[in-house]
Amino acid sequence: MTNRTPDAPRIDGDRLLRRIEALATIGPIDGGGSCRLALTDEDRAGRDLVVAWMHDLDLDVRVDGIGNVVGVRPGRIDGPPVMTGSHIDTVRTGGRYDGNLGVLAGLEVIETLEQQDIQTENPFAVAFFTDEEGSRFPPDMLGSLVYVGGMAVEEALDIVGIDGAVVGKELDRIGYQGPFPCPGPAPRAFVELHIEQGPVLEAAGTTIGAVTGVQGISWTELVITGQSNHAGTTPMDLRHDPGYVAAAIAYHVRQMAVRMGGRQVATVGRLELHPNLVNVVAASASMTVDLRNTDEQLLREAEAELARTVTDLAAAEGVKVVDRTLARFEPVEFDTRVIDMVAGAAADLGHTVQRMPSGAGHDAQMMARVCPTGMVFVPSRDGISHNPAEHTDPEHLVAGANVLMRTLLALDASDLAGSGSGVTA
Ligand code: HGY
Ligand code: MN
Ligand code: MN
């Protein structure tokens, strides 16, 4: 589509794509994706690469007590920056765009401003937040949650991961426990570019999503303890089988989400049996249930039904269940003024745009607690993400970065003030 505003600065698309490729080579996995679980050596290597790029741009690089990294370019005046960013940690089977695009597009915007000698009114900042995925150390969005004061850094540093590692020890081990305070300073505004990770934009043939908010998230871990026994000799009516109860819970939450319809989703992503042998009735099962909905009341109803189901199954089978909440965030609505700026920037640049909620969690949902916040989405091929096959067409990556830049510059020139967010939490 032709650009209706030829004067707007444009990013260097090839440079952005080169950086995405370079970061993807760290923690590479089959299929072209990456595995950089939070605070692992691979995460450290990814951090080191992005920090080096920040230094190349002479940014003032600040590392805080939970390992969030913020690079700041000065503006004409001092004060809270216009901020962008995302995350560079990945799930175990991550793609190369989830999170990485938002951080590298932020770097690209700053490099473009530098190259074209454009001085902004306010400082500009690009950040990557620690442990956005939450799959090693729950909850997700841990770093940005601490950044906005949603969790004390001391509490976050004590979190034990699925592998028994401790956040504070790992942060120290990789050399990213920084001196800057948590909570961090509220920016003037925050906009995050991210792949949609779902099928909506591609199905509609739309290039840009002006994200209206993020749905509510509920993560529960269930540890089910029964009686290990012989698979061949134990009559069915004498069993106390955690494997059966775990499977029944997985079946029930799937049926519940399908029955509820709308935007309700339910996922059993982690399920481990012990001793996990073909001829042994399991002694224990450990599983997670991820429930999400854009409607807080419906999400609570889904949680209540899960709790009833677990209680009933445990009583009938004679097993013990210990549940633990790993993450619980209510739906968030972004600032309508920022959403409008994203939609306006997309239209000005000649791109198709539609407003939509996010099914995935993002650091922006935390930043919305402290400043006017929005997000820019670009399409995901076949709606696939959290999968090495994750793909977004280069022209969409570039379009998203240009919309991000235009939105940030609009925020810089605006007199936007106040939190303005619609945070329900
Ligand atoms: O789980 C999520 O939605 C995000 O990828 N952390
Ligand atoms: Mn992400
Ligand atoms: Mn993700």
Side-chain angles (χ1 to χ4, degrees), residues 296-338:
E296 174 63 14
Q297 186 47 42
L298 290 175
L299 183 55
R300 287 181 188 174
E301 287 170 20
E303 287 175 314
E305 182 169 335
L306 169 62
R308 285 195 303 273
T309 303
V310 170
T311 303
D312 295 348
L313 282 166
E317 185 68 12
V319 297
K320 181 167 162 274
V321 181
V322 175
D323 66 280
R324 180 165 70 108
T325 299
L326 299 180
R328 182 60 169 96
F329 300 120
E330 294 193 3
V332 166
E333 289 159 12
F334 290 140
D335 188 305
T336 51
R337 299 168 295 177
V338 182

Side-chain angles (χ1 to χ4, degrees), residues 135-421:
S135 32
R136 183 186 184 200
F137 298 106
D140 52 349
M141 288 76 71
L142 178 63
S144 47
L145 177 67
V146 171
Y147 187 92
V148 300
M151 180 187 285
V153 64
E154 296 77 12
E155 181 185 348
L157 294 172
D158 284 345
I159 289 173
V160 178
I162 59 173
D163 53 4
V166 181
V167 167
K169 291 201 174 73
E170 284 292 89
L171 206 49
D172 190 44
R173 184 183 67 81
I174 67 169
Y176 274 91
Q177 185 154 22
F180 278 80
C182 298
R188 176 179 175 80
F190 182 84
V191 184
E192 179 174 2
L193 168 63
H194 206 287
I195 54 172
E196 177 202 335
Q197 301 181 288
V200 172
L201 290 176
E202 183 183 61
T206 305
T207 302
I208 299 293
V211 186
T212 53
V214 178
Q215 65 181 346
I217 298 177
S218 164
W219 285 0
T220 304
E221 178 188 69
L222 300 169
V223 178
I224 307 163
T225 310
Q227 185 178 62
S228 190
N229 219 324
H230 194 294
T233 59
T234 311
M236 295 314 288
D237 62 349
L238 296 183
R239 292 183 181 217
H240 306 291
D241 182 354
Y244 157 69
V245 171
I249 290 169
Y251 176 81
H252 188 94
V253 296
R254 171 61 175 257
Q255 299 306 311
M256 173 181 73
V258 170
R259 187 192 73 240
M260 289 177 72
R263 291 191 180 272
Q264 184 62 45
V265 289
T267 310
V268 172
R270 185 154 58 86
L271 175 51
E272 291 149 11
L273 297 182
H274 176 73
N276 205 31
L277 297 172
V278 62
N279 56 352
V280 179
V281 176
S284 64
S286 168
M287 67 188 292
T288 56
V289 179
D290 176 323
L291 300 174
R292 307 197 195 194
N293 200 308
T294 48
D295 181 307
E296 174 63 14
Q297 186 47 42
L298 290 175
L299 183 55
R300 287 181 188 174
E301 287 170 20
E303 287 175 314
E305 182 169 335
L306 169 62
R308 285 195 303 273
T309 303
V310 170
T311 303
D312 295 348
L313 282 166
E317 185 68 12
V319 297
K320 181 167 162 274
V321 181
V322 175
D323 66 280
R324 180 165 70 108
T325 299
L326 299 180
R328 182 60 169 96
F329 300 120
E330 294 193 3
V332 166
E333 289 159 12
F334 290 140
D335 188 305
T336 51
R337 299 168 295 177
V338 182
I339 301 167
D340 291 345
M341 284 181 179
V342 170
D348 285 350
L349 292 170
H351 298 304
T352 50
V353 56
Q354 68 183 73
R355 293 160 193 253
M356 60 187 291
S358 172
H362 298 289
D363 293 309
Q365 75 187 86
M366 299 304 168
M367 299 307 288
R369 298 185 185 192
V370 297
C371 71
T373 296
M375 288 188 76
V376 182
F377 269 178
V378 287
S380 291
R381 184 178 64 190
D382 301 331
I384 286 181
S385 184
H386 283 188
N387 179 323
E390 178 181 282
H391 177 81
T392 295
D393 291 348
E395 62 268 27
H396 289 156
L397 299 170
V398 174
N402 278 316
V403 171
L404 174 71
M405 176 154 65
R406 193 170 181 82
T407 305
L408 294 171
L409 290 172
L411 284 163
D412 182 48
S414 76
D415 58 358
L416 212 58
S419 78
S421 72

